[in-house]
Amino acid sequence: MDAAVHDEAVRQDVMQAAVTKSSPSVDGASASRASELDDVAQTVSEGYSNEEPIVSSAGKQVVRRRGDALRTVRFLLRKVATAGIVVVAVLIALVTWDHYNAGPWTRDGRVRVQVASVAPQISGQITELRIVDNQFVHKGDLLYVIDPFDFDVALRTNKAILQQRMADLNVKDLQSERRRRLSDLASSTEEKQIYEGNALQAKAAVDSAQQQVRQAEINLQRTEVRSPVNGIVTNLLLREGDYAHQGATNVSVIDTDSYWIDGYFEETKLARLCMGDRAEAKLMGYPAPITGRIATVTRGVSVSNAAASTQGLPNVDPVYTWVRLAQRVPVRIAIDNVPPGVPLVSGLTATVTIRDGKNGESGGLLQRVLADLETSFFGLIGKASPRPGCIPGPSPPQR
């Protein structure tokens, strides 16, 4: 194809030269000169009538060598490109396999929080409700008030009883003191002991009355129910006029200072987890990750086969011996930083990824990649070596 292109170019050059030579004499040429030009044009046309290029054999060889070289280069480029694509595909497959099968990450994560269940310590009718649903409250803020009338009356009554007992104690102390100063002829020993015992009984009655007053004061203070934590009131169904029962929860406050994230990791990935490792958690719908660290690893999960059945015998479920599902172990992530605009709502789903800080500090990129692939391969076949000192073992028994 390159030779044909070259021949066509030579033909066009010859035709152009013939036309160029004829152009200066066409304007004033005679009839004989015009015939000579026609003969030249006919000769040129006859020379190309059989599509035979006016090219030497040496030119044909040069053109052929160039075509062969171009074909060789194209062939080599195709081979190199194919090999590069294969290498990239293998690397992508290895990285993907490492990430999905043995990488320390899980989609099964949940945002968790502590909830303070507020219950009154006394019973009574609610006369004031100072909160609304989803309201933020500080520790010590008033939530609601129970009718204090009965408790105020009880406090006043106990104070009156205390004054009565103190007066009785004063009289009996004076009687006992007078009998003690009398001689044995004026008062017998038995009589002195009786008056002394009466004074002691009066003193005990005063102490009891004082405790009753303190209890009445505490009960009166308990008519004002306050928040035990900083948090948000949730699912409030309480209304003024409701009757509050002692010990029955009627207000729930989410402790906003206690959020954490639980990542439920497969047991095959525990060998790659370490206490204190940096963790990232992405909530569904929010691209910015929440950062934290591994705080604790749950040391026990429920075993269904341990449940007792009829006659107290263990109930063991049949399983396929060639299929074993990895158990999931909760790992608690302590939250260090929450990006702006990302809400913490208990129960939200999170994708938790563990970042090993030690591997990122030492060794080159190739060494870290090889180490990760080795750990992934041995972890997949169940022969991964755990990182030493990551998850502390049980403490030895005390002797």
Side-chain angles (χ1 to χ4, degrees):
M1 180 177 181
D2 296 335
V5 171
H6 182 73
D7 296 341
E8 182 66 20
V10 172
R11 186 191 316 179
Q12 292 179 358
D13 292 339
V14 173
M15 293 291 294
Q16 184 67 28
V19 172
T20 303
K21 290 179 181 180
S22 62
S23 58
S25 57
V26 168
D27 297 335
S30 60
S32 60
R33 188 63 176 170
S35 62
E36 291 178 2
L37 292 176
D38 294 337
D39 295 336
V40 172
Q42 183 177 2
T43 303
V44 173
S45 62
E46 289 177 356
Y48 286 92
S49 60
N50 296 327
E51 299 295 333
E52 293 180 0
I54 307 176
V55 181
S56 63
S57 60
K60 293 182 179 179
Q61 293 179 359
V62 171
V63 172
R64 188 178 298 110
R65 291 195 194 99
R66 291 179 179 177
D68 294 341
L70 289 175
R71 284 192 294 270
T72 304
V73 170
R74 293 194 186 112
F75 177 78
L76 293 177
L77 288 176
R78 285 197 298 268
K79 292 296 184 181
V80 171
T82 303
I85 293 173
V86 171
V87 171
V88 171
V90 171
L91 291 177
I92 293 175
L94 289 176
V95 172
T96 304
W97 170 73
D98 173 72
H99 179 69
Y100 281 92
N101 290 278
W105 74 287
T106 179
R107 294 182 184 271
D108 192 6
R110 294 290 186 276
V111 178
R112 301 285 305 279
V113 73
Q114 295 284 355
V115 179
S117 299
V118 181
Q121 295 178 287
I122 56 174
S123 298
Q125 187 178 21
I126 297 176
T127 57
E128 295 182 37
L129 185 63
R130 301 288 185 86
I131 54 174
V132 295
D133 196 18
N134 296 322
Q135 176 183 342
F136 182 85
V137 294
H138 295 88
K139 183 177 181 179
D141 285 353
L142 184 62
L143 301 180
Y144 59 87
V145 178
I146 297 176
D147 188 2
F149 178 78
D150 294 339
F151 303 97
D152 185 58
V153 170
L155 176 60
R156 294 175 182 274
T157 302
N158 287 317
K159 285 183 176 181
I161 293 174
L162 175 61
Q163 292 178 355
Q164 180 183 0
R165 299 290 170 80
M166 292 180 66
D168 185 58
L169 173 62
N170 188 25
V171 172
K172 290 184 177 179
D173 277 342
L174 293 175
Q175 291 176 349
S176 176
E177 182 65 20
R178 284 196 298 267
R179 294 300 185 278
R180 188 178 62 81
R181 292 180 180 180
L182 295 175
S183 63
D184 293 340
L185 295 177
S187 178
S188 64
T189 303
E190 181 181 2
E191 186 179 5
K192 293 180 181 180
Q193 292 176 350
I194 291 174
Y195 278 93
E196 184 177 359
N198 291 337
L200 292 176
Q201 290 179 359
K203 185 178 184 305
V206 169
D207 292 340
S208 177
Q210 288 178 344
Q211 299 302 322
Q212 293 296 328
V213 170
R214 292 180 181 177
Q215 182 65 53
E217 290 176 346
I218 293 296
N219 289 338
L220 184 59
Q221 294 177 3
R222 289 172 176 172
T223 58
E224 295 182 349
V225 180
R226 300 182 179 274
S227 174
V229 295
N230 299 322
I232 299 174
V233 178
T234 183
N235 195 28
L236 182 64
L237 302 176
L238 196 63
R239 292 293 181 268
E240 291 185 5
D242 289 350
Y243 192 85
H245 297 275
Q246 181 179 2
T249 301
N250 51 20
V251 175
S252 297
V253 181
I254 296 176
D255 187 359
T256 54
D257 299 328
S258 66
Y259 278 101
W260 79 92
I261 296 176
D262 269 347
Y264 302 99
F265 287 86
E266 297 175 351
E267 56 185 314
T268 55
K269 299 180 180 180
L270 290 181
R272 303 186 66 176
L273 304 182
C274 205
M275 305 292 291
D277 279 352
R278 187 170 61 88
E280 294 181 356
K282 288 186 178 181
L283 303 181
M284 293 181 63
Y286 296 92
I290 300 172
T291 59
R293 65 189 184 281
I294 296 180
T296 58
V297 178
T298 300
R299 307 311 293 271
V301 293
S302 177
V303 180
S304 59
N305 289 335
S309 182
T310 307
Q311 299 178 347
L313 301 178
N315 183 15
V316 181
D317 295 329
V319 297
Y320 295 104
T321 56
W322 62 86
V323 177
R324 293 193 302 173
L325 298 178
Q327 184 62 267
R328 291 186 176 268
V329 179
V331 177
R332 175 172 290 201
I333 307 299
I335 298 175
D336 292 334
N337 181 46
V338 180
V342 177
L344 286 178
V345 180
S346 179
L348 290 186
T349 304
T351 298
V352 182
T353 304
I354 305 301
R355 307 295 185 186
D356 181 10
K358 295 181 180 180
N359 289 344
E361 296 174 358
S362 62
L365 177 61
L366 181 59
Q367 294 179 356
R368 296 198 302 270
V369 171
L370 293 178
D372 289 342
L373 291 177
E374 181 180 0
T375 304
S376 303
F377 175 75
F378 286 110
L380 188 63
I381 63 177
K383 295 183 179 180
S385 58
R387 295 163 59 189
C390 286
I391 302 178
S395 58
Q398 299 293 334
R399 295 184 179 180

